[in-house]
Amino acid sequence: QGSELSGWAMGRWTYEGIDLNHNFADLNTALWDAEDNDLVPHEFPNHYIPIPEYYTFANATVAPETRAVIDWMQRYPFVLSANLHGGELVVTYPFDMTRTYWKAQELTPTADDGVFRWLATVYATSNLAMASEERRLCHYDDFMRSGNIINGANWHTVPGSMNDFSYLHTNCFEITVELSCDKFPHASELPAEWENNRESLLLYMEQVHRGIKGVVRDRDTEEGIANAIISVDGINHDVRT
């Protein structure tokens, strides 16, 4: 509905009044509670965390769009993703929710913080608008001092974000890209926005080729093993085949 003059968050909610940006299941709290009680990973997983029962009830405040996306994520083993927002020029990476629940901002890294910082940096350094030497601040945050990337929770906490859900419930590593200072660019500006982001989108997608690849096979039959858990020393977050 129109421009920022009608409200910064205008258009964020669905017809049913649900903010999709906060609508995924909060798996962070369950993980952190289990960590505080020394239950991870022997009694509580550090990955593929199950969706809480309350979230699956028919009367739960979950948008059909959110349920559809979760079903999509469960059917396809995505490993890399990004969601695109507007209103700033910065790339954020998980966790998006602060570990101290009453804090609005708090550095809250994942066990794969180095990978997430790399992914965010790949996008930010190849984005023409973010990398421009003539760039000005969008609002009051100077993200240029940190290379135009920031831990999501260290900017502002977002419980129930898609990024955190992807990381804790699937194999997928997901970031958020704030594409432009203007939250509602005019149609005439879209070609320039495409040019700003074309190379960074391609370079970001190419990052799926980093890391270790292979097939986990049964020693006797040579058949591939689905859902085999792979652990890396020093990283308290496993993945599955």
Side-chain angles (χ1 to χ4, degrees):
Q1 291 189 25
S3 74
E4 295 167 9
L5 298 178
S6 60
W8 183 254
M10 184 65 72
R12 275 274 291 272
W13 286 271
T14 67
Y15 182 78
E16 297 176 319
I18 298 174
D19 181 357
L20 298 178
N21 199 46
H22 296 71
N23 197 224
F24 287 82
D26 169 19
L27 305 181
N28 306 54
T29 299
L31 173 66
W32 295 332
D33 286 348
E35 286 182 346
D36 291 342
N37 291 290
D38 296 324
L39 301 178
V40 181
H42 306 293
E43 297 180 45
F44 191 92
N46 63 19
H47 72 304
Y48 273 57
I49 296 173
I51 296 174
E53 186 180 12
Y54 74 85
Y55 191 84
T56 64
F57 294 158
N59 62 350
T61 309
V62 183
E65 295 91 338
T66 309
R67 293 191 189 278
V69 168
I70 291 174
D71 179 64
W72 187 44
M73 296 160 79
Q74 290 172 333
R75 282 185 289 122
Y76 293 93
F78 297 114
V79 296
L80 186 66
S81 178
N83 58 73
L84 309 179
H85 293 204
E88 257 297 353
L89 270 174
V90 68
V91 182
T92 76
Y93 55 91
F95 284 118
D96 285 336
M97 179 180 173
T98 56
R99 184 158 186 159
T100 307
Y101 73 92
W102 50 267
K103 284 191 175 181
Q105 293 174 293
E106 181 183 43
L107 179 63
T108 312
T110 67
D112 292 285
D113 188 59
V115 176
F116 275 117
R117 289 175 60 83
W118 169 261
L119 292 172
T121 299
V122 164
Y123 202 103
T125 55
S126 56
N127 181 277
L128 296 183
M130 293 185 198
S132 172
E133 295 182 355
E134 300 177 356
R135 188 199 147 178
R136 294 179 293 176
L137 298 183
C138 287
H139 304 288
Y140 52 84
D141 290 309
D142 186 1
F143 295 115
M144 289 180 280
R145 293 184 300 176
S146 58
N148 297 305
I149 69 170
I150 191 171
N151 172 252
N154 207 27
W155 183 21
H156 60 269
T157 187
V158 180
S161 80
M162 186 174 173
N163 291 4
D164 289 3
F165 182 87
S166 294
Y167 180 67
L168 295 176
H169 187 66
T170 78
N171 278 343
C172 191
F173 284 34
E174 182 169 337
I175 63 172
T176 293
V177 181
E178 299 282 350
L179 292 171
S180 170
C181 295
D182 186 357
K183 201 171 183 71
F184 302 97
H186 190 270
S188 62
E189 299 175 89
L190 295 182
E193 294 293 343
W194 167 241
E195 288 303 320
N196 285 341
N197 289 277
R198 178 179 58 178
E199 187 64 20
S200 42
L201 285 166
L202 291 170
L203 284 173
Y204 183 75
M205 287 189 285
E206 289 171 3
Q207 302 313 302
V208 296
H209 299 297
R210 286 190 171 270
I212 299 171
K213 301 183 187 70
V215 179
V216 177
R217 300 183 186 277
D218 184 285
R219 183 175 60 183
D220 299 322
T221 66
E222 292 294 313
E223 293 291 322
I225 299 176
N227 293 315
I229 296 174
I230 299 173
S231 298
V232 178
D233 284 347
I235 298 179
N236 189 26
H237 181 80
D238 302 335
V239 295
R240 294 188 184 187
T241 58

